[in-house]
Amino acid sequence: MKLLEERIRRDGEVLPGDILKVGSFLNHRIDTRLLDKMGAEFGLLYSGSGITKILTLEASGIAIASMASPYFDFCPVIFAKKIAGKNVSGDVITSTVVSYTKGVTYNITVQKDLISPDDTILIIDDFLANGEALKGLVDIVNQSGAALAGAGIAIEKAYQPGGDLIRGMGIRVESLARIKSMDAEKGIEFCR
Amino acid sequence: MKLLEERIRRDGEVLPGDILKVGSFLNHRIDTRLLDKMGAEFGLLYSGSGITKILTLEASGIAIASMASPYFDFCPVIFAKKIAGKNVSGDVITSTVVSYTKGVTYNITVQKDLISPDDTILIIDDFLANGEALKGLVDIVNQSGAALAGAGIAIEKAYQPGGDLIRGMGIRVESLARIKSMDAEKGIEFCR
């Protein structure tokens, strides 16, 4: 998606440790006009897939998923929680995720009764790099018994193994911007 | 807002410890159609206030704020982060919040360069009870030097001190549903 690539090139910051900082428009200050257009793009890519619910992960996936929902007839958005707080009760589905960015392992949790085996799920998330978070979300869909239409990712670091890993599981992955390489000095190159 | 009150009455669950569980439509599975209508309501309430940015708190405020943004000409949404991760760099504005629901104290953080003194901020959040989270967000706006138009809250527990506390600071607070009392057996009563 040209618009997102241009925005990443203009406002993204490549930091040491292979970090792409997009906090000025994607996951701290959110450019909702951009997210609306990204939502429309996901809507086109997955039109006719019969999506009944969007699944994402707190916190940075929530805005992207919510703004995409109108393009799927306002289907409900479920966000997996990273720590089961007091307000999650009853049966939950859980999966374990390793976050390389934050250097921690955590559980992601969805209340069981929020996804039914009749659902067709689209997973939406902001980043795909090692694929750990996405693998966890796929695991949750599989445990729920629902059908998985695929994943819609804002930014894929295509030089990292996550994309191949998840596509290798036979899962459709659509990323709006696929980074081939990035470097603080040489800048960002996208896959063509 | 009648629609939200009816939904709370129908799908909200009153749990021990004064907890109102609204995870089936507001903060775990999100009914984006409802949130769109809530956003329209916030848009009406604060029309003509010259809002340039919406400030909210991760995670459950993000969807509500994002879906409200189109009714403020797609103004950017900033969400305060609860823990400063590796991806927050540079100067930050910080405030301390006590969460009674989770029994913890945490810092909320916004990168300094995301809010300018020229901004007029609308704070949006899901719950107002003791007012701790809202007080922290107000503190962040004050530190930034921006103007504060007021707060838009989904559900206010009007029998708790937060609403009076914040309004007593001269801040406009608009809550779409104001709970007068709630009880697992007697049900939920709203302010009239």
Side-chain angles (χ1 to χ4, degrees):
Chain A
M1 190 189 181
K2 208 78 197 159
L3 189 74
L4 179 60
E5 289 181 3
E6 280 165 8
R7 191 60 178 273
I8 294 166
R9 227 189 278 273
R10 200 185 76 192
D11 294 331
E13 278 178 77
V14 182
L15 300 182
D18 193 45
I19 288 170
L20 176 62
K21 201 178 147 196
V22 289
S24 67
F25 61 98
L26 197 68
N27 55 20
H28 189 12
R29 174 166 60 191
I30 299 158
D31 180 341
T32 51
R33 209 181 288 275
L34 173 67
L35 262 61
D36 177 59
K37 292 188 171 107
M38 290 165 55
E41 188 76 15
F42 286 132
L44 284 173
L45 287 163
Y46 282 99
S47 80
S49 299
I51 308 294
T52 60
K53 275 172 197 156
I54 295 172
L55 176 66
T56 189
L57 182 58
E58 68 172 356
S60 39
I62 297 174
I64 303 170
S66 299
M67 300 296 291
S69 158
Y71 296 96
F72 294 93
D73 196 24
F74 284 94
C75 76
V77 169
I78 295 163
F79 65 88
K81 299 191 177 191
K82 282 182 182 164
I83 302 155
K86 275 188 194 164
N87 284 5
V88 176
S89 63
D91 278 347
V92 294
I93 308 174
T94 299
S95 193
T96 303
V97 171
V98 182
S99 165
Y100 292 95
T101 320
K102 299 199 172 153
V104 292
T105 298
Y106 54 89
N107 288 310
I108 62 174
T109 299
V110 170
Q111 237 177 264
K112 214 172 221 165
D113 59 359
L114 297 185
I115 307 181
S116 115
D118 298 333
D119 278 319
T120 300
I121 307 287
L122 171 63
I123 296 172
I124 284 187
D125 208 0
D126 58 344
F127 274 99
L128 171 56
N130 285 288
E132 286 296 325
L134 185 50
K135 222 170 60 186
L137 291 168
V138 167
D139 183 30
I140 280 179
V141 175
N142 288 341
Q143 288 185 56
S144 77
L148 177 61
I153 303 293
I155 304 173
E156 178 180 346
K157 291 175 175 172
Y159 57 91
Q160 287 202 14
D164 285 349
L165 178 83
I166 305 290
R167 290 183 183 97
M169 292 163 70
I171 293 165
R172 180 178 174 192
V173 179
E174 300 283 356
S175 302
L176 301 186
R178 300 187 72 228
I179 296 174
K180 194 175 168 183
S181 66
M182 62 179 208
D183 184 279
E185 274 155 40
K186 289 178 208 153
I188 299 166
E189 203 185 337
F190 292 97
C191 300
R192 283 287 151 254
Chain B
M1 190 189 180
K2 208 78 197 158
L3 190 74
L4 179 60
E5 290 181 1
E6 279 165 8
R7 191 60 178 274
I8 294 166
R9 229 190 276 274
R10 201 185 77 195
D11 294 331
E13 277 178 78
V14 182
L15 301 182
D18 193 46
I19 288 170
L20 176 62
K21 201 178 147 197
V22 289
S24 67
F25 60 98
L26 196 68
N27 55 21
H28 189 12
R29 174 166 62 192
I30 298 158
D31 180 341
T32 50
R33 208 180 289 276
L34 174 66
L35 263 59
D36 177 58
K37 292 190 172 104
M38 288 164 55
E41 189 76 15
F42 286 131
L44 283 174
L45 287 164
Y46 282 99
S47 79
S49 299
I51 308 294
T52 59
K53 276 172 197 155
I54 295 171
L55 175 67
T56 189
L57 182 58
E58 69 174 353
S60 39
I62 297 174
I64 303 170
S66 299
M67 300 296 290
S69 158
Y71 297 97
F72 294 91
D73 195 26
F74 284 95
C75 76
V77 169
I78 296 164
F79 65 88
K81 300 192 176 189
K82 280 183 184 163
I83 302 155
K86 276 189 195 165
N87 284 4
V88 175
S89 63
D91 277 346
V92 292
I93 306 173
T94 299
S95 193
T96 303
V97 172
V98 182
S99 166
Y100 293 94
T101 321
K102 299 198 170 150
V104 292
T105 298
Y106 54 89
N107 289 310
I108 62 173
T109 298
V110 169
Q111 237 178 264
K112 213 171 221 166
D113 60 359
L114 296 186
I115 306 181
S116 112
D118 298 333
D119 278 320
T120 299
I121 306 288
L122 171 65
I123 296 172
I124 285 187
D125 207 1
D126 57 345
F127 273 100
L128 170 57
N130 284 288
E132 287 296 324
L134 185 50
K135 223 169 58 184
L137 292 168
V138 167
D139 183 30
I140 280 179
V141 175
N142 289 341
Q143 288 185 55
S144 77
L148 176 61
I153 303 294
I155 304 173
E156 177 180 346
K157 291 176 174 171
Y159 57 90
Q160 287 201 15
D164 285 347
L165 178 82
I166 306 290
R167 289 183 184 97
M169 292 162 69
I171 293 165
R172 181 178 173 192
V173 179
E174 300 284 355
S175 303
L176 301 186
R178 299 187 72 227
I179 296 174
K180 193 174 167 184
S181 66
M182 63 179 207
D183 182 280
E185 274 155 41
K186 290 179 209 154
I188 299 166
E189 202 186 334
F190 293 97
C191 300
R192 283 289 150 251

